[in-house]
Structure formats: structure tokens, C-alpha cells
């Protein structure tokens, strides 16, 4: 089925965001594990896997629409130097990704590509959930302090 070229561009843009996030979360997870923050490391490793599943769904949809998935491009990866910085950067990345996904979902609605819209709505729900988690972590850091937060993240 030949898809709308602009839908395919939106899907590829979101795919680029997910591929970047996979690398960012994977590296952060390894960095955190290296310094002993096991809980946070495990969470971010799970996020990397979640982004891989999202990327897989996007690739399948792009191929179905007879487009070519772009696996070549990545955005700048911002990992941060410590846990609070990582969380802050991740929150910023997720909020940007939410906006891109919302824009794509709206366009899919306009052109009546309801299957792509549903795919993006599912990704949007997962993104919103992660934004909520990251926001909660920022509040915890602000409430208990960075050192106490790090101490809480040490046990897996």
C-alpha cells in the first residue's frame, strides 16, 4: 500500500528520535551501572528496550507504506555527567519527542491514515508515561537532594 509521503516523513522523524534515545539510554544505563546506581541503570536499560520495540513498530509501518526506514540519521546524544543531569536531559528529550509524535499523529488524522495515527498514539502514551516518571525523579531529587537520591538508586 503506497503511503502518503508526508506520513512516511513523520514516521521517519520519530524513528530517528527513537534510535537516538536507544543509544542515549543504553549508554546512560552502562554509566550508571559502572558507578553503582543499579536501580536507575535497570530502569534506563528497560527504556532502551522499550524504544527498540517502538522503533521496530515504526520500521514495520514505514515498510508497509512502501517507504524506506531511515536508520542512518541520529540526533545529538546528550548523556549528562551524573544522575540528576541525565534525568534532566532525558526529560527534555522525551518532551521534544512528544511534540514530534503529536505533530505526526495530527497529520495522520488529517489525511485519514488511522492505522499510523493509532501507532503514534500508542507511542505517545508510552512517552507520556516516561515523562511522568522522569518528572517524579526530578521532584525526588529536589526533595531529598542529589546525594540522597543517588544513595537510593544504589540497590538493584
Amino acid at each position: 500500500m503506497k503511503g502518503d509521503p508526508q506520513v512516511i516523513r513523520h514516521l521517519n522523524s520519530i524513528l530517528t528520535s527513537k534510535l537516538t534515545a536507544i543509544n542515549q539510554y543504553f549508554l546512560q544505563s552502562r554509566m550508571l551501572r559502572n558507578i553503582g546506581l543499579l536501580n536507575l541503570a535497570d530502569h534506563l536499560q528497560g527504556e532502551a528496550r522499550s524504544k527498540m520495540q517502538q522503533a521496530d513498530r515504526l520500521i514495520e509501518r514505514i515498510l508497509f507504506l512502501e517507504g524506506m526506514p531511515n536508520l542512518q540519521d541520529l540526533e545529538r546524544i546528550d548523556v549528562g555527567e551524573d544522575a540528576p543531569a541525565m534525568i534532566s536531559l532525558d526529560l527534555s528529550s522525551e518532551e521534544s519527542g512528544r511534540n514530534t509524535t503529536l505533530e505526526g499523529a495530527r497529520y495522520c488524522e488529517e489525511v485519514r491514515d488511522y492505522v499510523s495515527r493509532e501507532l503514534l498514539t500508542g507511542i505517545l502514551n508510552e512517552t507520556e508515561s516516561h515523562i511522568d516518571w522522569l518528572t517524579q525523579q526530578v521532584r525526588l531529587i529536589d526533595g531529598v537532594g542529589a546525594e540522597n537520591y543517588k544513595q537510593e538508586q544504589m540497590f538493584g
Side-chain angles (χ1 to χ4, degrees):
M1 175 185 144
K2 190 74 169 165
D4 179 289
Q6 188 64 25
V7 167
I8 294 168
R9 277 193 286 282
H10 279 289
L11 295 174
N12 265 316
S13 175
I14 296 162
L15 176 60
T16 296
S17 174
K18 299 308 172 187
L19 294 172
T20 303
I22 291 165
N23 288 299
Q24 182 166 315
Y25 289 135
F26 184 76
L27 178 55
Q28 288 174 336
S29 173
R30 291 300 177 243
M31 291 169 66
L32 291 165
R33 186 166 306 286
N34 187 54
I35 60 173
L37 302 181
L38 304 180
N39 282 339
L40 193 52
D42 288 345
H43 182 82
L44 293 182
Q45 187 172 7
E47 281 301 320
R49 286 189 194 111
S50 174
K51 302 301 180 202
M52 275 188 233
Q53 292 167 347
Q54 292 173 357
D56 185 44
R57 294 192 308 261
L58 288 162
I59 290 167
E60 285 181 345
R61 184 65 184 159
I62 293 166
L63 290 171
F64 178 80
L65 295 174
E66 299 180 19
M68 180 55 71
N70 181 353
L71 303 176
Q72 303 299 318
D73 295 335
L74 289 178
E75 298 161 355
R76 179 171 159 40
I77 296 172
D78 293 316
V79 293
E81 294 184 19
D82 62 10
M86 288 178 188
I87 291 168
S88 178
L89 289 166
D90 292 348
L91 181 57
S92 179
S93 294
E94 290 290 336
E95 288 172 340
S96 176
R98 174 185 55 197
N99 295 338
T100 303
T101 305
L102 262 172
E103 185 180 317
R106 286 183 186 133
Y107 183 79
C108 291
E109 177 78 24
E110 284 176 29
V111 297
R112 298 181 179 183
D113 181 345
Y114 300 116
V115 174
S116 295
R117 182 205 59 201
E118 286 303 310
L119 169 64
L120 296 182
T121 300
I123 290 172
L124 188 60
N125 288 336
E126 294 171 30
T127 301
E128 291 284 352
S129 178
H130 193 223
I131 287 171
D132 289 346
W133 185 86
L134 289 164
T135 301
Q136 179 185 14
Q137 301 314 296
V138 169
R139 287 187 190 127
L140 283 171
I141 292 167
D142 290 346
V144 301
E147 289 308 312
N148 288 334
Y149 178 82
K150 290 178 194 176
Q151 198 169 28
E152 290 175 9
Q153 297 303 317
M154 293 179 105
F155 305 103

